[in-house]
Each structure stands twice: as C-alpha cells, then as structure tokens.
C-alpha cells in the first residue's frame, strides 16, 4: 500500500512539472536578439567565401538596418508565476478526484482490513462456543478468506467455509465456485460431495441441478436410506417440475425419519404441495 501511494504522488509531481515548465521565463528571445544571431551566423559564412564578400556584407547590413523597428520594442514580460497557483491547485484537485473515483482505493482499503481481521474471524467461525458472526463480519471473513486462498489454493477447509459463507450471504457464484474447488481437491470426501451437490441443486440452473442430482444418486448407492440425500433428490425433482417423483422421494424421507422428528411436519407439507401440482397438470 505504501508503494501504491508513493507511485501516485510521483505521477502527480511529474504532471505538475509538465504543467509548469512551459511558463518558465528562461529562454525568452526578442526580435533584436534573433537578428543579431542571424547576422553573426551569416558573417561566419561570408568569411569562408572567397569572392564578392564585400558586396554581400553591405547587402547583409542593409537588410539588418531595414529590419530594425522605428520604435523601441520592449520584450514581453513573462507571466507572473503567481498566476500558476490556481492552475496547480486545479490540477491537484482534478487529479485527486479522478484517482479516488477510478482507482478503487476504498476497495483496496477494505481488502487490507479484511486480511488483517481474517485470522481472528476464521478462528471464531471454527470455534463452537464462540460468539456467532454478524452478517458484516461474515462478509469481511469472506473477503479475507478469498485473499488467503489466492496463496493457499489447496486449503480445502477454507474452500468449504467460503462456500458456506456464500450460501448464507446469498452469493451463489461464490458458493458454487468454492464448493466446486473443494470437490476438485477431494472428490472422495462424502461431506464435500454432498455440499457441492446441495449448492448445485439449490442455487444452480437446470443443467447444474441435473449435475447435482447425478452426484446425489451416486452417493445414494452406498447410503440408500439417508434422509439428507433423499431430501436433496426430492428437491432436485421439484426444481425440475417432476412433482410425482418429488412426492415419492419425500415419502421415503418420512418413512426413515423418527416419529418425533421436527422435520416430519415440513416434509409432509412438501408432499401435499407436490400433490397439488400433480393435480393441476402433468409432470415434465
């Protein structure tokens, strides 16, 4: 960040130098001075010529006398440097405004703050008895975690947490990308596979929903009575408007849930809703 500010100030100073340089008084040349320079140069040429030099010198002197103004012409005075101050101030203000508007300095500052707070927030999120994170703290943790994962790309637990944060914060792109990365790093981990299938089915488009369903079907081969997997399959069928299949899967969930499970009521409501859709039209 320090180097960033040093470069910004250096660029501004360079712009000020370019702005002020043309107004310097040094190098001011009037008409008489130009004539004198021309006369001396021409004399040097005549001295190198062998014939007709006298006539040419007389002609040169005549032209020089003809070019002398009848009245004394005062050389123009350079503009006072005090008049440059408004221009300098305007350049500084304009440059600062454009810089603040286009440089993303606020985002850079937020990212640095998130990186500083990341270790403590991550520790709180991983500790069961710690104070729960607020939504703003979750957003800060998500930003810091993304920066951390850029240099620790094989940190599987970090990708899992980033995916969960994306779901809580309604950031579907972050959730899907993070769980996909975790699944790529550890495709044999059943928990990671379930999380990836879950985010695809809940937040994905039709093609992604189908991809999540295939992952769930593969896991059901070894866990055919898993309520979580059956419910995920039912949700996939629901999102694809296959209501009879969704009702069948939710009924299977009811069959394996304990009689006192608090989930039974919500599952039954889902079954009833699926039946209402089935009555209004055929499944796709």
């Amino acid at each position: 960040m320090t180097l960033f500010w040093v470069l910004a100030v250096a660029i501004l100073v360079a712009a000020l130098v370019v702005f002020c340089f043309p107004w310097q008084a040094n190098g001011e040349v009037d008409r008489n001075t130009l004539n004198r320079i021309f006369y001396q140069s021409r004399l040097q040429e005549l001295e190198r010529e062998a014939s007709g030099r006298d006539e040419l010198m007389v002609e040169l002197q005549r032209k020089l006398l003809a070019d002398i103004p009848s009245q004394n012409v005062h050389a123009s005075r350079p503009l006072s440097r005090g008049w440059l101050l408004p221009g300098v101030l305007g350049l500084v203000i304009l440059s600062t405004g454009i810089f603040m508007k286009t440089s993303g300095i606020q985002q850079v500052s937020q990212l640095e703050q998130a990186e500083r707070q990341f270790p403590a927030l991550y520790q709180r999120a991983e500790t069961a008895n710690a104070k729960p994170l607020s939504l703003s703290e979750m957003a800060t943790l998500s930003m810091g975690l993304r920066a951390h994962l850029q240099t620790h790309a094989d940190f599987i637990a970090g990708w899992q947490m980033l995916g969960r944060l994306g779901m809580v914060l309604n950031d579907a792109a972050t959730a899907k990308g993070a769980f996909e990365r975790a699944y790529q790093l550890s495709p044999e981990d059943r928990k990671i596979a379930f999380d990836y299938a879950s985010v695809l089915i809940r937040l994905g488009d039709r093609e992604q929903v189908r991809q999540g369903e295939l992952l769930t079907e593969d896991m059901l081969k070894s866990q055919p009575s898993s309520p979580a997997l059956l419910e995920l399959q039912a949700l996939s069928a629901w999102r694809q408007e296959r209501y009879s299949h969704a009702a069948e899967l939710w009924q299977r969930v009811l069959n394996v849930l304990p009689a006192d499970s608090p989930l039974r009521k919500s599952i039954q409501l889902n079954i009833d809703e699926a039946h209402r859709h089935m009555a209004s039209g055929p499944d796709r």
Side-chain angles (χ1 to χ4, degrees):
M1 189 67 175
T2 302
L3 179 61
F4 178 79
W5 281 112
V6 170
L7 291 175
V9 172
I11 292 172
L12 179 59
V13 170
L16 291 174
V17 171
V18 172
F19 175 78
C20 296
F21 181 76
W23 300 98
Q24 299 299 312
N26 295 336
E28 184 78 17
V29 180
D30 59 17
R31 181 178 180 181
N32 291 334
T33 301
L34 290 173
N35 283 336
R36 185 169 60 254
I37 293 172
F38 172 75
Y39 179 71
Q40 294 294 336
S41 175
R42 185 63 178 139
L43 280 179
Q44 292 175 1
E45 293 178 2
L46 293 176
E47 288 176 356
R48 292 192 293 268
E49 295 180 2
S51 62
R53 186 180 63 178
D54 294 338
E55 292 80 0
L56 291 173
M57 290 184 64
V58 171
E59 179 66 18
L60 177 61
Q61 292 172 353
R62 186 184 65 79
K63 290 182 178 180
L64 181 62
L65 289 173
D67 196 50
I68 297 177
S70 59
Q71 298 180 352
N72 291 332
V73 179
H74 298 286
S76 59
R77 298 180 60 187
L79 186 66
S80 172
R81 296 183 181 182
W83 290 98
L84 295 177
L85 182 59
V88 170
L89 291 177
L91 179 60
V92 172
I93 294 173
L94 180 62
S95 301
T96 303
I98 294 175
F99 174 78
M100 297 298 292
K101 187 70 175 179
T102 62
S103 65
I105 187 64
Q106 184 176 1
Q107 289 80 357
V108 173
S109 178
Q110 290 176 347
L111 178 58
E112 287 190 338
Q113 182 181 5
E115 289 178 332
R116 289 193 300 269
Q117 296 180 359
F118 162 70
L121 292 176
Y122 184 84
Q123 184 64 33
R124 276 179 57 190
E126 287 287 275
T127 304
N129 298 326
K131 179 182 177 182
L133 299 179
S134 65
L135 287 178
S136 63
E137 288 174 329
M138 289 183 186
T140 300
L141 175 58
S142 178
M143 187 182 300
L145 189 53
R146 283 197 296 267
H148 181 76
L149 289 169
Q150 289 181 359
T151 55
H152 300 78
D154 57 348
F155 184 29
I156 298 178
W159 288 112
Q160 289 179 278
M161 178 172 287
L162 183 61
R164 292 194 294 270
L165 288 169
M167 295 190 73
V168 173
L169 297 172
N170 293 321
D171 187 347
T174 294
K176 287 185 287 187
F179 280 127
E180 180 180 12
R181 179 58 178 162
Y183 180 72
Q184 290 172 349
L185 290 171
S186 183
E188 303 301 323
D189 189 310
R190 308 289 290 186
K191 178 65 170 64
I192 293 176
F194 176 84
D195 288 339
Y196 183 39
S198 178
V199 74
L200 288 175
I201 290 173
R202 296 179 187 278
L203 303 178
D205 55 29
R206 191 173 186 86
E207 182 178 347
Q208 291 170 334
V209 170
R210 180 56 183 161
Q211 182 183 355
E213 184 176 22
L214 293 175
L215 283 174
T216 308
E217 288 176 354
D218 185 61
M219 288 184 282
L220 275 170
K221 294 176 182 177
S222 59
Q223 297 176 283
S225 299
S226 169
L229 291 174
L230 289 171
E231 187 174 2
L232 201 54
Q233 279 286 80
L235 179 60
S236 175
W238 174 271
R239 290 208 58 194
Q240 296 177 77
E241 301 181 14
R242 293 152 47 203
Y243 300 116
S244 60
H245 186 51
E248 177 187 345
L249 289 167
W250 272 318
Q251 186 61 53
R252 289 176 59 185
V253 175
L254 277 183
N255 294 340
V256 297
L257 282 178
D260 57 349
S261 173
L263 297 176
R264 295 185 67 88
K265 183 176 181 180
S266 63
I267 297 298
Q268 184 60 57
L269 290 175
N270 290 338
I271 294 173
D272 295 341
E273 185 67 20
H275 286 157
R276 280 193 288 272
H277 280 279
M278 291 164 58
S280 62
D283 289 358
R284 291 191 177 183

